Amino acid sequence: MRVKRFVVALALPLLGVGLVTPMTVQASSWKRGTPKAVRGSWFNKGVHNAKKNVGWTAFNADKHSFGIGHMGMPSVVVYHPYYKYTHHTYFLKGYAPKNGLWRGSHVLFKLVKKGKKLHLVSKKGTYDNVMLHRDKVRR
């Protein structure tokens, strides 16, 4: 009888702490593919003047891959990407295989959609801090 009372007396406070502790849920888990909001062709013409010469950058995304090209450098293409959406920001990650001078590595890009523009920042990759515009369909 004393053992049962001891077990109940020990279990009730632990159960109470378990019920009172708030449960947190991770809604921003990694999902397969690319988000619909960033699919399509995006570009930046670059800045060409005497003080600064930054060439064009292009970003193309479809359902199962995305690629980034920068002014004549080899394109970085990621097949089978993953994305996460947190606080109005998309994070895209994946492995970009060898292509020309690009040796191949894991990349992580941060994309912030600001109105009709897309701000591309490289967290682990090559190209960083570029504002992109949606490419108009040419017919």
Side-chain angles (χ1 to χ4, degrees):
M1 189 75 168
R2 286 186 176 191
V3 174
K4 286 183 184 178
R5 282 186 186 174
F6 180 72
V7 170
V8 170
L10 185 62
L12 283 177
L14 292 176
L15 183 62
V17 170
L19 293 175
V20 174
T21 306
M23 300 288 281
T24 58
V25 177
Q26 278 288 41
S28 61
S29 62
W30 290 98
K31 296 168 185 65
R32 191 172 270 205
T34 57
K36 288 182 181 178
V38 300
R39 290 184 195 163
S41 298
W42 300 80
F43 75 99
N44 180 349
K45 291 182 181 177
V47 178
H48 300 285
N49 59 30
K51 295 181 181 178
K52 196 177 200 182
N53 187 7
V54 179
W56 58 267
T57 300
F59 175 82
N60 296 314
D62 61 7
K63 188 174 182 179
H64 301 291
S65 66
F66 69 90
I68 298 169
H70 181 70
M71 200 172 125
M73 296 303 290
S75 295
V76 175
V77 180
V78 176
Y79 301 103
H80 311 294
Y82 290 89
Y83 76 94
K84 181 193 290 192
Y85 181 72
T86 56
H87 305 291
H88 308 290
T89 303
Y90 294 97
F91 291 94
L92 274 73
K93 74 174 183 176
Y95 180 78
K98 183 179 190 299
N99 181 13
L101 296 174
W102 175 257
R103 292 184 173 181
S105 71
H106 291 278
V107 293
L108 175 65
F109 291 99
K110 175 181 165 184
L111 298 167
V112 180
K113 194 161 184 194
K114 296 181 178 182
K116 295 183 179 182
K117 298 178 183 178
L118 189 68
H119 188 202
L120 173 72
V121 178
S122 173
K123 293 294 184 183
K124 183 179 179 185
T126 57
Y127 313 112
D128 57 337
N129 221 359
V130 179
M131 190 65 77
L132 302 169
H133 307 277
R134 174 105 32 201
D135 195 4
K136 294 182 176 52
V137 177
R138 295 180 183 105
R139 295 181 185 199

